[in-house]
Amino acid sequence: MSAQVLSRSAESRNETLDAGNLPGRQRRSRVMTGVLIAATGIAVLALIALLASIFKDALPWLRPDLLTNMPSRKAEKAGLYPALIGSLWIIGFTALFAFPVGIGAAIYLEEYAPRNRLTRLLEVNIANLAGVPSVVYGLLGLGVFVTWLNLGRSVLAGALTMALLILPVVIIASREAIRAVPPSLREAAYGVGATKWQVTSSHVLPTAMPGILTGIILATSRALGETAPLIVVGAAAYVTFLPSGWLDKYTVLPMQIYEWSRRPQDEFQGLAAAGIVVLLALLLALNAVAIWLRARSARKVRW
Amino acid sequence: MSLTTERAGIDQITGNARDAIGAGVLPEPGTDRNVVISLRDLNVHYGRFHAVGDVNLDIPRNRITAFIGPSGCGKSTVLRSINRMNDLVPTAKVDGTIWYHDRNINGRDIDPVMVRRRIGMVFQKPNPFPKSIAENILWGAKINGFTGNKAELVESCLRRAALWDEVKDKLDASGLALSGGQQQRLCIARALANNPDVILMDEPASALDPISTLKIEDLMRELARNFTIVIVTHNMQQAARVSDQTCFFSLNEQRMGFMVEASPTTELFTNPKDRRTEDYITGRFG
Amino acid sequence: MASNPLASDGSSDLDLSGQVAHGIGERVIGALLFACGMVSILTTVGIIVILAEQAFEFFRQVPLPSFLFGTSWTALFKTPAYGVLPLVAGTLWITLIALLVALPLGLLSAMYLSEYASPRARNIIKPSLELLAGVPTIVYGFFAVTFIRPEILKPLFPKIGPFSALAAGIAVGIMIIPLVASLSEDALRSVPRSLREGGLAMGATRSEVSWQVVAPSALSGIVASFILAASRAIGETMIVALAAGSKAQLSGNPLEPMQTMTGFIVQVFSGDVVAGSTPYLSLFAVGLLLFLMTLGLNIFSQWVVSRFREVYE
Ligand SMILES: Nc1ncnc2c1ncn2[C@@H]1O[C@H](COP(=O)(O)OP(=O)(O)OP(=O)(O)O)[C@@H](O)[C@H]1O
Ligand SMILES: [Mg+2]
């Protein structure tokens, strides 16, 4: 141990504000700032390029009868009416199946589940299901709903498959909303002698509902954009009729877009772009509802 | 509370600094080698809120200066102005001059990073980096271009922070694996590694148990032989025990903080110049 | 005191009949909610059973080693070969390219948003990136085919064909930027402010604090986001179905078309395939492999988080 390091006499003390190695370090710091801004800029630019290039391709093909025409081999007459209606059928039934089960599971985990191994397994399981590729859900649906339950290539089979796909997202979002309800509210309700279900149904759920709805709408928008599982469970590529019941054949918007974009002709590329614009508009509308709900509930209830 | 604790104290402050503390008339900044930091007309705003007004103060070399006063009176604000930590608060605006020896360091031309290398800081809650004990100490020296013997530096800093004996066998353990008091001494050791001139401490013992607190206080006395220390504390006994000079801050009706008086510690606690100081230290405040 | 309705009637027994009815209703509801929770367990069991059962059939016809180590995949040809390596190689190529795009851009954006951006910039950029995350993957596939290949790659590599691993990989990469950015940013922001102040108070520059104090303190979260990104890239389907082509080949050239595991599954269903035939069964073998790979990565990322997370008060 050298003496200089340990003792610090007045003579050795450094009282000057010298820059030392600082100029170089500050230069490096500034360069890094530039790099960070550039990287973030590229990410945002990718989004802009994505939207701009699709709008540019879509513009000549965005006409009102796109929404009301049947698909056709002639690009000028082709529309996506059946796909639009099919998408509404699918997300409608998906929501119908996924919401009660998802909210039920969330209530179970937040309010009822004992802290034991089974509950832990359930939680890990849900986290892992959220990471399973969507095409694998397609194979599950094919095996269980299409083949085993013999539902065929029906709306029902597609919606059930989609419901399983979005279930983890619904559960996770609902749990978060339920967890945000302050414990003091539960205690107050228990304090007047309510049962667990009375507390849950008349205090916890109403308070958590805006949050749950927001999460659920976002999950639904995921179902609206999914293609791969529906290809596997048999959404048809070329449909010129509307489904009239839940055992009918169907197609959906992303499926129609996929079909069109696989054709070599430029016209169909344009149609695909136009289809994407319709799809994005629907998604945007759903998201706007979710944001509106969130804002409204934030205004109404404040803890 | 014993105010007659025997220690190398204010009586040994000599020359102009002694006069300055006593007389309330402050010399021209940069003229006295025994004054390390001089604040002149320091005013701090957070947005429109005037947090601290017109502080004038000299901080003597190799002494401990304590800031006391009620909560919210701007002690931390003044302390953080000294090493330009308030630059990190977007709304904060620091006016007036802060002299480090003969340089005004409160200017746009002065890089705050340069200031902080000479004026180190220890925070209220221990904040060791989630790295090993040795790396905690080496990091600051390394970025500042240290090329000497690393093991020696680690040992000497830990020894001066009175931590060496407790950790010498586990230098590679995480700094977070230490007790609160040990973590705080690690943070002090970390500040020493930069070989600073001044060490600012914002309530360094308030999160610690009484024994750790005493250790930190002993350590401060020890460090004051070589460093200039400024400490914020809520504990008046602590200020009386460790400091040489004490500055009492208070609040006006607009909740603006200002400095009531700065005196040698023994004087401030036995014979305060200002009525408000007396009220505060005898517990009649508020 | 005497007017207390609960105590005044002289009977010391509480009437519990209402409570018992409650008790039954409560238990039924509890059981129903439990059943809802079990649906997710059943889903996992269903996935494993369906995939394993059909894959087992498949492996009776094609031995496991020749599936795992075969270098030729021609499932839909007249003389089928079922060596999965070309599909795995295609998947890994595209994942690699995607990660090369997404990890640096995602992490740097996260660092910018967490350590540098003003609240105003954050309020604009974060929602934009979230928007990027909400765009369906088919849209990225279309973008790869109509923009990335012709407008960006073609000028750089004139020999690039209509389908390539590179175009698909870049599109997958752009798709997972928001995932990396948002998870990494969460990790960076959860590093306590006091650590940053500690670093700055020692005379460190902003970038030194960002990369040498904040980033290492958030390492487990950052690594977890990288692993999840890889898992997402492996499982991505529509982008590769549109942009990577359907030629299963072991190639070292990302400008060539390649088929991934997911791409093969979609290709089979875009044509006609007879249920129960060997090509049909091969789907489930490929699906099982895909499932196991992504599951392994997901579990790995959870392990990284729980094992290496630094807990700050
Ligand atoms: N970052 C900030 N933004 C806005 N106002 C602030 C900020 N920091 C402090 N203030 C305000 O400035 C005033 C002085 O605060 P400061 O923290 O300096 O007080 P203090 O004397 O250190 O108090 P304490 O003893 O409680 O630590 C307070 O009114 C406080 O609310
Ligand atoms: Mg304070």
Side-chain angles (χ1 to χ4, degrees):
Chain A
M1 168 92 7
S2 82
Q4 296 99 293
V5 187
L6 271 181
S7 82
R8 187 172 183 283
S9 62
E11 290 72 53
S12 81
R13 77 190 292 157
N14 185 348
E15 297 184 340
T16 51
L17 266 185
D18 57 331
N21 60 0
L22 199 55
R25 288 164 54 205
Q26 286 291 28
R27 202 167 330 117
R28 247 172 292 149
S29 184
R30 275 194 298 274
V31 170
M32 183 46 72
T33 310
V35 169
L36 293 182
I37 291 176
T40 313
I42 291 175
V44 174
L45 212 63
L47 175 70
I48 294 171
L50 178 86
L51 295 179
S53 85
I54 283 168
F55 268 95
K56 189 175 133 277
D57 290 350
L59 214 52
W61 296 92
L62 280 174
R63 39 189 172 69
D65 60 1
L66 183 73
L67 297 179
T68 52
N69 278 9
M70 291 290 164
S72 161
R73 308 219 178 271
K74 295 204 191 77
E76 315 79 60
K77 288 207 299 181
L80 37 71
Y81 187 43
L84 193 61
I85 301 300
S87 273
L88 295 181
W89 274 79
I90 287 285
I91 62 168
F93 279 113
T94 301
L96 196 66
F97 300 135
F99 296 177
V101 177
I103 297 175
I107 296 173
Y108 176 73
L109 283 171
E110 285 301 315
E111 307 285 322
Y112 282 74
R115 295 282 107 208
N116 60 17
R117 299 261 292 278
L118 180 67
T119 305
R120 183 82 200 105
L121 176 74
L122 205 56
E123 290 178 329
V124 171
N125 179 56
I126 289 166
N128 281 318
L129 276 181
V132 171
S134 61
V135 72
V136 171
Y137 281 95
L139 293 176
L140 171 70
L142 179 68
V144 175
F145 304 126
V146 177
T147 312
W148 188 48
L149 295 179
N150 208 10
L151 296 175
R153 308 179 146 204
S154 60
V155 170
L156 188 56
L160 284 169
T161 306
M162 281 302 202
L164 292 185
L165 172 73
I166 66 167
L167 197 56
V169 188
V170 173
I171 296 176
I172 291 167
S174 305
R175 283 189 75 181
E176 255 163 42
I178 292 173
R179 211 174 304 147
V181 176
S184 59
L185 184 68
R186 292 185 184 85
E187 282 155 16
Y190 280 124
V192 298
T195 64
K196 196 164 218 167
W197 177 244
Q198 287 165 338
V199 172
T200 307
S201 61
S202 43
H203 295 283
V204 176
L205 275 187
T207 314
M209 206 33 101
I212 294 179
L213 281 179
T214 307
I216 273 173
I217 292 174
L218 296 178
T220 309
S221 69
R222 165 118 192 257
L224 189 58
E226 275 291 348
T227 325
L230 291 183
I231 293 180
V232 176
V233 295
Y238 191 78
V239 172
T240 53
F241 53 87
L242 304 181
S244 59
W246 67 2
L247 292 175
D248 282 357
K249 288 189 162 205
Y250 64 99
T251 189
V252 290
L253 272 178
M255 188 73 200
Q256 185 71 64
I257 294 165
Y258 177 57
E259 266 317 295
W260 280 339
S261 56
R262 269 164 25 115
R263 303 214 188 157
Q265 302 95 323
D266 277 350
E267 305 93 85
F268 283 101
Q269 299 288 317
L271 268 179
I276 288 176
V277 170
V278 172
L279 178 63
L280 291 180
L282 268 181
L283 285 172
L284 210 61
L286 270 178
N287 278 282
V289 172
I291 291 167
W292 175 75
L293 261 177
R294 198 180 329 177
R296 208 183 67 132
S297 67
R299 215 172 338 118
K300 216 170 63 185
V301 194
R302 210 171 260 128
W303 300 106
Chain B
M1 168 166 90
S2 159
L3 292 173
T4 52
T5 320
E6 211 67 53
R7 58 177 154 71
I10 199 76
D11 305 326
Q12 282 158 33
I13 301 182
T14 50
N16 292 343
R18 163 89 234 206
D19 298 342
I21 294 169
V25 185
L26 296 170
E28 186 75 5
T31 53
D32 185 347
R33 248 185 74 73
N34 283 317
V35 172
V36 179
I37 305 267
S38 310
L39 309 179
R40 292 293 181 270
D41 301 324
L42 185 76
N43 279 273
V44 186
H45 288 82
Y46 291 111
R48 288 235 201 85
F49 174 59
H50 196 169
V52 177
D54 288 325
V55 174
N56 285 285
L57 174 66
D58 276 358
I59 291 168
R61 157 209 288 273
N62 287 16
R63 292 291 178 273
I64 299 180
T65 299
F67 290 180
I68 61 169
S71 187
C73 65
K75 305 178 295 291
S76 301
T77 299
V78 172
L79 194 75
R80 291 166 57 92
S81 301
I82 296 175
N83 72 340
R84 301 274 302 266
M85 289 302 275
N86 275 336
D87 284 33
L88 306 173
V89 182
T91 56
K93 189 162 144 299
V94 180
D95 298 306
T97 53
I98 301 168
W99 299 86
Y100 172 69
H101 299 290
D102 52 356
R103 299 272 298 270
N104 175 12
I105 52 175
N106 187 32
R108 288 186 153 273
D109 55 320
I110 300 284
D111 185 342
V113 175
M114 196 157 73
V115 173
R116 294 176 198 140
R117 291 200 301 177
R118 307 264 28 97
I119 306 178
M121 188 160 202
V122 174
F123 298 82
Q124 178 171 2
K125 258 175 60 186
N127 57 352
F129 302 133
K131 303 173 189 264
S132 75
I133 291 170
E135 282 172 274
N136 258 287
I137 290 167
L138 287 172
W139 186 69
K142 194 186 77 194
I143 58 171
N144 284 310
F146 177 77
T147 52
N149 184 324
K150 289 180 183 163
E152 268 179 25
L153 180 71
V154 170
E155 181 174 346
S156 75
C157 291
L158 285 172
R159 274 190 194 284
R160 283 145 169 262
L163 188 59
W164 173 251
D165 291 329
E166 288 157 70
V167 302
K168 63 180 177 223
D169 299 322
K170 48 175 183 179
L171 294 176
D172 291 327
S174 166
L176 291 170
L178 298 174
S179 75
Q182 290 173 329
Q183 288 188 9
Q184 194 62 302
R185 277 177 283 148
L186 177 61
C187 291
I188 292 174
R190 184 175 76 179
L192 298 180
N194 266 355
N195 196 20
D197 195 8
V198 182
I199 303 174
L200 310 175
M201 301 185 176
D202 194 347
E203 304 186 38
S206 69
L208 306 181
D209 64 281
I211 302 216
S212 304
T213 301
L214 282 182
K215 275 196 180 157
I216 300 268
E217 288 178 9
D218 287 346
L219 176 58
M220 281 192 277
R221 293 275 8 132
E222 186 60 34
L223 292 173
R225 303 218 248 143
N226 294 313
F227 300 91
T228 304
I229 295 177
V230 186
I231 165 182
V232 172
T233 177
H234 267 281
N235 180 332
M236 274 185 278
Q237 282 97 324
Q238 184 171 66
R241 278 194 299 266
V242 302
S243 72
D244 304 297
Q245 173 181 233
T246 300
C247 311
F248 172 60
F249 287 77
S250 186
L251 286 162
N252 71 7
E253 299 75 41
Q254 281 80 47
R255 303 206 57 76
M256 182 191 83
F258 62 99
M259 194 176 79
V260 177
E261 75 168 285
S263 305
T265 298
T266 327
E267 244 168 70
L268 186 127
F269 280 102
T270 51
N271 188 15
K273 283 200 287 282
D274 197 291
R275 181 63 199 267
R276 291 166 296 191
T277 314
E278 190 178 349
D279 286 351
Y280 184 74
I281 60 174
T282 53
R284 265 178 284 154
F285 180 80
Chain C
M1 270 303 172
S3 67
N4 183 338
L6 279 179
S8 62
D9 64 354
S11 94
S12 56
D13 294 311
L14 279 171
D15 179 10
L16 286 173
S17 55
Q19 294 293 341
V20 173
H22 265 149
I24 292 173
E26 283 285 311
R27 249 179 292 153
V28 169
I29 286 166
L32 273 177
L33 295 174
F34 177 73
C36 291
M38 281 302 119
V39 170
S40 79
I41 299 269
L42 281 182
T43 307
T44 306
V45 172
I47 289 175
I48 294 171
V49 167
I50 295 281
L51 293 180
E53 189 194 14
Q54 312 266 8
F56 184 72
E57 276 300 307
F58 174 76
F59 290 130
R60 292 225 305 226
Q61 296 166 28
V62 178
L64 185 62
S66 69
F67 172 73
L68 284 181
F69 305 114
T71 55
S72 165
W73 183 270
T74 53
L76 302 177
F77 291 16
K78 281 219 186 61
T79 51
Y82 295 98
V84 79
L85 280 185
L87 296 184
V88 172
T91 302
L92 293 184
W93 257 117
I94 284 172
T95 304
L96 177 73
I97 296 165
L99 294 182
L100 286 178
V101 171
L103 300 193
L105 288 179
L107 179 59
L108 293 172
S109 310
M111 190 57 97
Y112 173 73
L113 287 174
S114 149
E115 306 297 309
Y116 289 76
S118 67
R120 252 187 69 201
R122 236 180 88 81
N123 283 342
I124 298 171
I125 295 167
K126 253 207 125 184
S128 313
L129 289 181
E130 277 165 11
L131 207 62
L132 205 53
V135 172
T137 61
I138 178 110
V139 180
Y140 288 95
F142 185 80
F143 182 59
V145 174
T146 59
F147 186 83
I148 296 177
R149 191 198 73 89
E151 306 291 335
I152 296 183
L153 296 179
K154 187 87 181 170
L156 296 172
F157 310 102
K159 275 188 288 190
I160 196 168
F163 301 109
S164 65
L166 188 58
I170 291 174
V172 175
I174 295 175
M175 181 203 76
I176 54 181
I177 288 174
L179 175 85
V180 177
S182 101
L183 290 181
S184 298
E185 201 222 343
D186 287 349
L188 291 171
R189 283 173 79 82
S190 71
V191 173
R193 199 185 142 77
S194 64
L195 279 190
R196 295 180 179 86
E197 294 199 328
L200 291 167
M202 295 180 69
T205 63
R206 198 170 188 180
S207 82
E208 283 161 354
V209 169
S210 300
W211 292 105
Q212 298 176 37
V213 174
V214 180
S217 310
L219 196 60
S220 65
I222 294 173
V223 171
S225 84
F226 286 6
I227 300 169
L228 278 184
S231 160
R232 275 284 281 282
I234 288 175
E236 174 42 40
T237 308
M238 294 320 292
I239 298 175
V240 296
L242 275 174
S246 50
K247 190 167 165 203
Q249 60 170 345
L250 268 178
S251 163
N253 182 358
L255 297 179
E256 288 188 13
M258 290 183 195
Q259 189 163 50
T260 65
M261 298 190 279
T262 54
F264 169 71
I265 295 174
V266 166
Q267 189 202 359
V268 169
F269 287 103
S270 304
D272 288 314
V273 62
V274 182
S277 64
T278 314
Y280 177 87
L281 293 176
S282 76
L283 283 173
F284 293 88
V286 171
L288 184 62
L289 187 60
L290 178 66
F291 175 71
L292 292 178
M293 283 170 78
T294 53
L295 183 68
L297 285 176
N298 292 340
I299 291 176
F300 183 39
S301 85
Q302 286 159 19
W303 179 80
V304 165
V305 169
S306 64
R307 171 71 180 71
F308 295 104
R309 183 174 44 194
E310 297 286 3
V311 183
Y312 309 102
E313 306 164 51

